[in-house]
Amino acid sequence: MHETIGVFRTRFPLSRTLESLVRDRAALFGGVMVIVLALVALLAPWLAPHDPVKQDFAQALSLPSAEYPLGTDAMGRCLLSRLIYGARISLAVGLLAGGLAAGIGTLIGLVAGYYGGLVDELLMRLTDILMAFPNLVFVLAVVGTLGPGLQNTVMALVALGWLNFARVVRGTTLSLKESEFVLSARALGFSNARIMGRHILPNVLGPVIVLATFDIPHTILAVAGLSFLGLGAQPPTPEWGAMLNAGRTYMRTYPLLMIAPGIMITLTVLAFNLLGNALRDALDPRRRGSAADL
Amino acid sequence: MLNYVARRLLLLVFILFGVALITFLLMHVVPGDHAQLVATYRYGFDDFSTDELKAVQEDIGADQPLHRQFILWLNHVLRGDLGYSFISGRPVTAEILARVPATLELATFSFLITVLIAFPLGIVSARRPYSWLDNIAMVSSLIGVAIPNFWLGLLLILVFSLTLGLLPVAGSGDLAHLILPSITLGSGMAAVSTRLIRASLLDVLEQDYIATARSKGLGEGVVFRRHALRNALIPVVTVLGLQLNHLIGGTVIIETVFARPGVGKLIVDAIQARDMPVLQGCVLFLALTFSMINLLVDISYAFLDPRIRYGGGQR
């Protein structure tokens, strides 16, 4: 009984979340990295020394200099500027796809879990079918159909990504539906929409936030991978995966073109994963200190 | 048990029908007229008359309603006929089957490397949690998860092929061509598996029966081997099954990086060439393979753990 009340009242223990985030050094590193990346993305026009798509063939493949701190690519474009603008694209795409998937998935999961019946049955069967495709194969099928491009890649990722959110939210909703505070809200005659929005939604928000934190690096990796295959971001977009692919041609002469974007992708994904691990531990105290699983 | 298998098989039929339907529908929302595409392939761009286009439409059933087209198409698929490639003109089924060995080879070796890295590392980490070895293993697995596999592949090429000249850059053939791709793919999967094996072991070590085993005076080594390891293995089997998703996705990317002529490379090339029949065939083939292996994993899992057989069969 006591526990139920506790869960009901402190549904979002912000101070505790922050406290354990700071205590954990890895989490701190992840958090700081995410903030730095976000700042780089936001301030790109002021930080980048050059226009990321401006070509200067006279300077093509030049080594680092005062003018071009990290040198230039085969088109004579400033590598540093392209890396900086790449943060914009990766973060924007990650947040957009993650946010859309989270929004759609939460809504569907909430409705399916709360009403059950046909909606729920449809969701579960659709889940079964979509899960029969290996993730990347499904994304490739959608991108292959709609045609290569960043926008289509995001659509493909959302078309698959919402499933995870829907399943988690559905599960939590199912168990909350029978809880005392929902039953009493119903006894008070509140509308279904109000119960879902005011009473259940705040309680599923924790898992959704954790899932979203992991969905962002997933998306960033997937977009980089598809761009690497030439199916995501198209030239001259300064996207890290696409830059990596363009740089591999000059692996012998100027390997930094291939190495630098890879470092950026790895750091970004690592930062979000660390933050996600910490958020999960913080929002789910039962897991705290236990096995450091993924 | 038989009941469980029958239920799963029935579900599989339903799922595969859904998979076929989605694949079919995807290809029919392709921008542009499907018959036009086929006609372009047969007669060359803009090089066909209205009559010829009409003949093509009749041929592929484009003049019939969508559900009739689906049934027509499904009929062909069930007989193993996936149509003809727009590019090579060869049957799609033959194109795919010719590519399977290269992919299978890569997948097997990668999986082997995953197991060889993840098991020893996960076990050692769980035995001495928070020791320096565990810390190193956990940090490298965190980094391993974050490194994009296509980048790792290129880095390995840079070091071992271009700089040291030890291994071939790309292509396929002998064992030497297989080393870098399998390490690339296998180590990435090992990064995830190591953490899961460690976590699974640590969970088991907290159980009451472990305390019991310890309290009756068994040595830590015996407790670990006889009680912890065995019970931790069941979730690990599913975990390795889950890795199949990464494995198939990984082959697509790694085959492209190392220019290996597998199914993954075929699918990427098909997308770039807008070769719809090949794309459709590959998607269907990979989804089918994936579902079948998953079914096998599920059944063997149920075989290992009676709680699943009687648990209503829900995942």
Side-chain angles (χ1 to χ4, degrees):
Chain A
M1 190 63 204
H2 181 76
E3 264 186 32
T4 323
I5 293 170
V7 169
F8 184 41
R9 284 232 182 104
T10 57
R11 53 192 184 200
F12 205 83
L14 189 65
S15 65
R16 266 231 315 263
T17 309
L18 282 177
E19 194 187 300
S20 65
L21 274 185
V22 174
R23 214 187 293 139
D24 188 347
R25 262 179 307 161
L28 193 64
F29 172 78
V32 169
M33 269 298 298
V34 168
I35 292 171
V36 169
L37 280 165
L39 284 176
V40 168
L42 280 173
L43 303 175
W46 291 277
L47 290 174
H50 294 275
D51 179 344
V53 295
K54 203 193 96 212
Q55 304 178 351
D56 182 0
F57 285 100
Q59 297 283 330
L61 294 171
S62 60
L63 293 173
S65 62
E67 165 101 51
Y68 297 105
L70 290 178
T72 59
D73 68 6
M75 307 274 186
R77 294 175 297 207
C78 172
L79 177 58
L80 179 64
S81 304
R82 289 178 71 71
L83 288 176
I84 290 172
Y85 271 89
R88 251 186 183 197
I89 292 173
S90 287
L91 289 196
V93 163
L95 285 175
L96 184 70
L100 279 176
I104 297 170
T106 305
L107 192 68
I108 295 180
L110 210 55
V111 171
Y114 189 77
Y115 289 108
L118 189 66
V119 192
D120 192 35
E121 190 62 25
L122 274 175
L123 172 72
M124 292 321 282
R125 294 295 82 83
L126 187 63
T127 306
D128 280 340
I129 293 170
L130 287 182
M131 280 189 19
F133 293 94
N135 287 356
L136 187 68
V137 173
F138 181 81
V139 172
L140 285 175
V142 175
V143 171
T145 307
L146 300 178
L150 203 51
Q151 207 184 332
N152 290 343
T153 304
V154 170
M155 272 167 63
L157 288 169
V158 173
L160 194 65
W162 68 273
L163 267 180
N164 273 332
F165 290 94
R167 283 169 57 218
V168 167
V169 170
R170 170 191 177 266
T172 317
T173 306
L174 267 181
S175 62
L176 286 175
K177 205 165 80 173
E178 306 300 328
S179 68
E180 281 165 33
F181 66 88
V182 170
L183 292 178
S184 50
R186 205 180 281 170
L188 285 171
F190 291 158
S191 70
N192 286 331
R194 183 182 166 136
I195 294 175
M196 276 192 279
R198 289 268 192 86
H199 300 267
I200 297 180
L201 186 64
N203 284 291
V204 300
L205 231 43
V208 166
I209 289 171
V210 172
L211 210 55
T213 320
F214 285 115
D215 200 55
I216 291 169
H218 254 124
T219 307
I220 291 175
L221 261 184
V223 169
L226 279 144
S227 302
F228 174 81
L229 296 175
L231 306 175
Q234 300 297 311
T237 315
E239 199 277 339
W240 292 333
M243 288 167 65
L244 216 158
N245 187 31
R248 69 194 277 209
T249 320
Y250 307 96
M251 232 153 79
R252 254 179 230 272
T253 45
Y254 196 33
L256 191 64
L257 287 177
M258 178 275 280
I259 294 173
I263 293 176
M264 293 308 292
I265 300 171
T266 308
L267 277 179
T268 308
V269 173
L270 183 66
F272 274 101
N273 277 343
L274 288 175
L275 189 66
N277 280 339
L279 272 177
R280 186 189 48 200
D281 290 351
L283 288 172
D284 186 357
R286 276 165 306 170
R287 293 187 81 123
R288 195 176 298 154
S290 83
D293 56 342
L294 261 177
Chain B
M1 186 71 199
L2 215 60
N3 205 340
Y4 174 80
V5 174
R7 216 166 20 181
R8 288 308 314 266
L9 275 174
L10 211 66
L11 188 63
L12 182 72
V13 171
F14 161 77
I15 287 173
L16 290 180
F17 182 80
V19 165
L21 185 63
I22 286 185
T23 315
F24 173 81
L25 287 177
L26 266 179
M27 299 303 148
H28 276 78
V29 297
V30 176
D33 185 10
H34 192 61
Q36 199 99 30
L37 269 172
V38 177
T40 305
Y41 156 67
R42 281 195 196 167
Y43 305 106
F45 189 69
D46 267 353
D47 228 14
F48 46 88
S49 63
T50 349
D51 282 346
E52 280 167 331
L53 182 62
K54 235 188 153 93
V56 170
Q57 278 173 340
E58 247 167 63
D59 201 21
I60 61 171
D63 51 346
Q64 296 185 17
L66 204 58
H67 69 276
R68 297 279 312 167
Q69 286 187 47
F70 176 62
I71 292 167
L72 192 72
W73 174 78
L74 197 61
N75 241 317
H76 282 276
V77 170
L78 286 176
R79 275 182 274 133
D81 174 13
L82 292 169
Y84 295 85
S85 160
F86 281 170
I87 306 298
S88 71
R90 293 179 56 206
V92 174
T93 317
E95 290 263 6
I96 294 175
L97 290 179
R99 303 292 196 104
V100 168
T103 302
L104 203 61
E105 215 177 48
L106 174 63
T108 314
F109 271 78
S110 307
F111 193 70
L112 218 65
I113 286 176
T114 304
V115 172
L116 284 179
I117 298 176
F119 271 88
L121 218 54
I123 290 172
V124 169
S125 289
R127 282 212 65 169
R128 305 244 181 285
Y130 307 108
S131 64
W132 60 270
L133 218 151
D134 178 39
N135 286 334
I136 289 175
M138 285 307 103
V139 169
S140 22
S141 104
L142 265 175
I143 295 171
V145 172
I147 290 183
N149 50 11
F150 46 92
W151 187 51
L152 182 64
L154 291 180
L155 288 180
L156 290 177
I157 291 178
L158 183 65
V159 174
F160 291 98
S161 307
L162 297 181
T163 309
L164 299 175
L166 290 175
L167 292 162
V169 174
S172 72
D174 53 351
L175 205 63
H177 284 95
L178 204 53
I179 296 177
L180 288 186
S182 324
I183 289 179
T184 309
L185 188 49
S187 61
M189 291 193 301
V192 184
S193 307
T194 306
R195 299 180 82 79
L196 290 165
I197 290 170
R198 174 184 182 271
S200 161
L201 270 169
L202 284 180
D203 272 354
V204 170
L205 283 173
E206 276 177 16
Q207 302 294 316
D208 288 341
Y209 56 79
I210 297 292
T212 311
R214 278 184 186 139
S215 67
K216 71 181 182 191
L218 289 181
E220 196 58 24
V222 178
V223 171
F224 200 83
R225 272 194 310 276
R226 217 182 278 165
H227 297 269
L229 211 50
R230 284 194 187 179
N231 284 295
L233 271 183
I234 299 180
V236 166
V237 168
T238 5
V239 164
L240 292 179
L242 286 176
Q243 290 286 66
L244 192 65
N245 196 345
H246 292 257
L247 191 65
I248 295 180
T251 54
V252 173
I253 286 179
I254 299 304
E255 281 172 4
T256 309
V257 172
F258 289 92
R260 282 180 64 82
V263 180
K265 180 94 171 50
L266 185 65
I267 202 172
V268 173
D269 290 344
I271 294 174
Q272 269 153 0
R274 316 252 345 119
D275 191 348
M276 287 320 195
V278 172
L279 171 62
Q280 191 177 37
C282 287
V283 169
L284 212 55
F285 173 77
L286 289 176
L288 178 77
T289 314
F290 185 53
S291 309
M292 300 285 247
I293 302 180
N294 269 338
L295 178 75
L296 287 181
V297 170
D298 278 359
I299 289 176
S300 60
Y301 188 36
F303 192 72
L304 287 174
D305 188 349
R307 277 171 300 187
I308 301 200
R309 297 200 280 275
Y310 301 117
Q314 278 294 353
R315 258 183 289 185

